[in-house]
Amino acid sequence: MSKTNPVIGYYHSWESIIGYRKLHGVKHFGYYPKGKEHISKAEAQLLMSERLAKALALPTGRLVLDAGCGEGGVALYLA
């Protein structure tokens, strides 16, 4: 892990690299609401996408740029 920037260090760690492959390109941490701290990573990622969609409240046909965000799983969810 990088001593100067722990976030960059994590993204270059074996844990992150292997996890990225297992999660099929999804590399965000998800949302773990109170009372659901032990849900799966996949469920937490879905909850995060749902939460983002609700917060953005984008009207149909709106354009969104998903830059540097893996394989675009969240963008596909928003679409």
Side-chain angles (χ1 to χ4, degrees):
M1 205 173 280
S2 172
K3 292 179 183 177
T4 57
N5 189 318
V7 174
I8 291 171
Y10 174 77
Y11 278 84
H12 288 94
S13 72
W14 282 111
E15 175 188 5
S16 178
I17 293 166
I18 292 167
Y20 192 61
R21 288 185 187 142
K22 288 180 82 174
L23 295 170
H24 309 289
V26 176
K27 200 169 190 175
H28 61 84
F29 292 98
Y31 174 60
Y32 296 83
K34 281 190 175 186
K36 292 189 173 187
E37 292 87 357
H38 300 291
I39 60 175
S40 70
K41 202 177 264 189
E43 187 175 352
Q45 290 171 344
L46 177 60
L47 288 174
M48 180 58 81
S49 295
E50 290 172 353
R51 189 172 172 95
L52 176 63
K54 184 177 179 181
L56 292 175
L58 297 171
T60 302
R62 193 69 150 177
L63 297 177
V64 175
L65 174 63
D66 184 12
C69 300
E71 296 176 354
V74 175
L76 289 171
Y77 180 86
L78 292 174

